[in-house]
Amino acid sequence: MSAAAPDAPGRGAGDRLLDAHRKAGILAEALPYIREFSGKTVVIKYGGHAMDDPATAELFAQDVVLMRLVGMNPVVVHGGGPQITDLMRRLGKEPEFVDGLRVTDAETMDIARMALMGKVNRDIVTSLNQHGSYAMGLSGEDAGLLRVVARDPRLGFVGDVHRVDPAVLERVLREELVPVIATIGVDDTGQAYNVNADAAAGAIAAALDAEKLVYLTDVSGIYEELGDESSLISETDVAGLQRLLSEGKVGEGMIPKVRSCIDALEHGVHRAHVLDGRVPHALLLEFFTREGVGTVIDRTAE
Ligand code: ADP
Ligand code: MG
């Protein structure tokens, strides 16, 4: 928030009091939401593009820490496609895609692991821990968290989530820590695979019986017609998403989010949200104010 400094020139005591009243009003408005969500698990998929801007990334960290401090159980799941591509190029390897999916040979898998665990995961964990000792980084390889099966031999080590063992997350949450998960999975032989972070977030939310699944991305929400700002869908349900998919309204990038939302909602998650991660404090706005932002998806329309 960019409220003027208390001692900004030209501002009198009256203005400052008004400001203080407004702030108190905002905090009071948050009270019923804090009560509602206390003790609830919220899985947040943090997008590769939404985390590009360091200033917004810092606000994201504040929001997640605040959620933790008011008694929620936030779980952060992140991707890092652009960061993998960047590291590949720096190492002199040109990425190759088939139907929008990265062809992942053994060397690419090594690079993906370095980018996701060595860089992206560390950056998110460190920014959360600027505020205290809150976050703990994990990979889907840890303690059997993400079990995968190979998707297609042409793609190499690209895995689909086959089973989630949430036990390690439940332990971390009991310690009141925020798990930050890089979406690398393993198959039955222990081979590492790159996993789509949207799909992993949905599967983790279902396994944790999460209250909410949130996708922070780089658009305002789900559009009926991509490119037409006025067609933003503020509220829909599983049937609505299925219609959008069957009518071909959902394009690349949004497809795995929509599919995983449907899956998670059908497996016990109460609500899903697609929010604009570029908006400062998108999470606080959605959870603690009357002004919802983005698209909210319920199981069925009321
Ligand atoms: P992220 O890093 O968050 O996963 P992606 O680029 O993979 O970001 O996915 C978000 C993108 O999905 C948007 O930028 C948009 O171009 C695309 N998209 C496709 N269809 C839709 C739709 N119907 N509504 C909103 N976004 C859509
Ligand atoms: Mg994506």
Side-chain angles (χ1 to χ4, degrees), residues 45 198 253 257:
K45 192 279 180 151
D198 295 333
K257 296 185 212 330

Side-chain angles (χ1 to χ4, degrees), residues 222 232-237 240 271 294-298 300-302:
I222 304 175
L232 180 70
I233 301 169
S234 54
E235 230 179 306
T236 185
D237 61 7
R271 280 191 138 181
T295 302
V296 52
I297 306 122
D298 284 306
T300 50
E302 292 300 312

